[in-house]
Amino acid sequence: MPEVIAWVLVLAVAAYACAGGTDYGAGFWDLLAGGAERGERPRRLIDHAMGPVWEVNNVWLIFVLVVMWTGFPTLFQAVFGALWLPLALAAIGLVLRGAGFALRKPARRLAQRRVYGAVFALSSLVTPFFLGAALGGIASGRVAVGTTASADAWANPTSVIAGLLAVAAAAFLGAVSLCSDARRFGADDLVGYFRRRALIALGALVVLALIGLPVTHSDARHVWEGLTGGIGLLLVLSAAVSAFATVALLLRRTYRWSRWTAVASVALTVFAWGFAQRPYVLPTSLTVADAAGAPHTLWWLVIVTVVAIVLIGPALVLLYWMDTHGELESLTDADTQAGRAPGDTQ
C-alpha cells in the first residue's frame, strides 16, 4: 500500500508540473513580452488562454500536499522543516501571482496594470524556481529526518539546476500551449511568435540538462544511478523523444498534438525522477515504507483518491477539453487586433 500511495503522489506532482507549469510558462513569457505597446497583444492572448483554468490548476498542488501530510507525515515534517524558506517563498509567489493576474485586467489606470502585471510575471518566474530548488535539495540527499533548515539544503548545485530546469520546462510548456491557442484564436502572427519561443525554451532545457549531468553525478549519486539505468533511463529517453516530437510538430506547423507531446515530455521526466529515487522518498535516508502513515490511514487515503477521481476527474477532463477546443471564452477582434504586432513575424 505505501508504494501505491507513493505513485499517487508522483502522479499528482506530474499533473501539477504540467498544468501549473503551463501557467507559469505563460507568466514567464508575459515578463519578456516587452513594453506596454509591443507586449499588448501577447499579454492579451496570455490572459485569455489562462483565464478559464488558472485557478483549477492549483487543485493538483493541494492534492500533493494532502497526500504528503496524510500518507507520509514523516516526509512532510522533514521536508517542511528543512526547506521551509524556499517553500515559503514559493507560497508567497503563488499568492502574489494570483493577485497580480486577477487584478491587472480590471485595473483602470495604466500604472496599476503595469504594477499588477509585473507582480504576476515576476512571481511566475520565482515560484517554479523555488519549487524546483526544493526538489533538488531532496534529490541530492540533503534533506533527512531531523535536518535543520539551512541554505545548503536548497542553495546547492543540484537545487540550482533543478530550479532552472523547472523554469525552462515551464517556459517550454507555456510557449507550446500559447502557440496552439494563438492558432485557435486566429492570431496567426502570434503563432510564429510563440513557436520561436518554444524552440528557444527547449534549447535552454537541453543545455541545462547537459550541465546537470555532471552535477547530478557528483551531487545526487543515487538519483543519477536511477536515471541512467533500467526504467528510469527508459523514461528519460521517452521524455527526450516526446520533446523532439514536439519540435517536429512545431516546425511542421502541426499544432493540434504539440501541446500533448510537450506535456508528455515533462510528465515522463517527473516519473523518471520517481523511479530514480526508489525505494526512498528522501535519498538515501528514508524509504517509502518507513515514511508511510498508519495502514488504516493509507486505506482511507486510497478511498478518498478513488472518490475524487470519480467525482472530480470527469469535471476536470471536461474543463480542459472545453478550454483547448475553444468552447469557453473566445478572443474578440478587439483583442487580436489591439496594439502593434510583435516585432518578429511568422
Side-chain angles (χ1 to χ4, degrees), residues 11-340:
L11 179 62
V13 171
Y16 184 65
C18 295
T22 301
D23 278 358
Y24 291 135
F28 177 86
W29 296 118
D30 187 290
L31 179 65
L32 300 183
E37 182 179 357
R38 176 181 172 83
E40 183 176 9
R41 294 186 64 251
R43 291 190 176 102
R44 284 179 178 267
L45 176 65
I46 290 168
D47 281 348
H48 278 78
M50 287 183 55
V53 297
W54 71 278
E55 290 178 290
V56 176
N57 291 333
N58 289 323
V59 169
W60 299 112
L61 179 59
I62 296 171
F63 191 65
V64 169
L65 295 176
V66 170
V67 173
M68 275 188 68
W69 81 54
T70 307
F72 303 100
T74 306
L75 169 67
F76 186 87
Q77 182 181 12
V79 169
F80 278 80
L83 300 170
W84 70 267
L85 181 56
L87 293 175
L89 292 173
I92 292 171
L94 277 170
V95 174
L96 292 178
R97 181 176 180 273
F101 182 74
L103 294 174
R104 78 167 175 180
K105 192 171 184 179
R108 295 180 178 274
R109 297 181 179 178
L110 178 60
Q112 289 180 325
R113 290 200 298 271
R114 284 177 172 173
V115 171
Y116 292 138
V119 169
F120 160 70
L122 288 171
S123 299
S124 297
L125 173 65
V126 168
T127 303
F129 176 81
F130 282 117
L131 290 174
L135 288 178
I138 294 171
S140 65
R142 287 178 169 84
V143 178
V145 176
T147 299
T148 57
S150 67
D152 181 63
W154 60 275
N156 56 76
T158 302
S159 289
V160 172
I161 287 294
L164 293 175
L165 282 170
V167 173
F172 174 59
L173 286 172
V176 172
S177 181
L178 288 167
C179 192
S180 177
D181 287 330
R183 171 55 58 88
R184 176 161 54 89
F185 288 135
D188 291 337
D189 61 306
L190 291 180
V191 175
Y193 176 86
F194 283 112
R195 182 176 63 241
R196 276 183 290 278
R197 282 149 182 78
L199 297 175
I200 291 171
L202 180 58
L205 264 176
V206 172
V207 171
L208 287 170
L210 293 175
I211 294 173
L213 290 176
V215 172
T216 307
H217 180 268
S218 61
D219 198 49
R221 192 56 181 261
H222 179 79
V223 171
W224 161 267
E225 292 174 354
L227 292 174
T228 54
I231 297 177
L233 178 60
L234 179 62
L235 289 170
V236 169
L237 294 176
S238 299
V241 170
S242 296
F244 287 105
T246 305
V247 171
L249 291 170
L250 291 175
L251 293 177
R252 289 171 57 89
R253 293 174 170 79
T254 305
Y255 305 109
R256 181 177 180 181
W257 296 105
S258 60
R259 187 198 303 260
W260 305 113
T261 54
V263 165
S265 66
V266 173
L268 288 167
T269 301
V270 174
F271 276 103
W273 161 72
F275 270 99
Q277 286 208 168
R278 291 187 308 166
Y280 299 101
V281 287
L282 293 177
T284 52
S285 61
L286 185 65
T287 65
V288 172
D290 291 337
H296 66 276
T297 302
L298 298 182
W299 276 110
W300 276 110
L301 187 56
V302 169
I303 293 172
V304 170
T305 300
V306 172
V307 171
I309 292 173
V310 172
L311 295 182
I312 302 175
L316 288 176
V317 171
L318 178 61
L319 176 63
Y320 287 134
W321 185 91
M322 292 177 68
D323 180 49
T324 56
H325 286 75
E327 299 295 329
L328 300 175
E329 184 180 6
S330 300
L331 206 64
T332 65
D333 290 341
D335 291 319
T336 58
Q337 296 173 9
R340 186 165 57 89

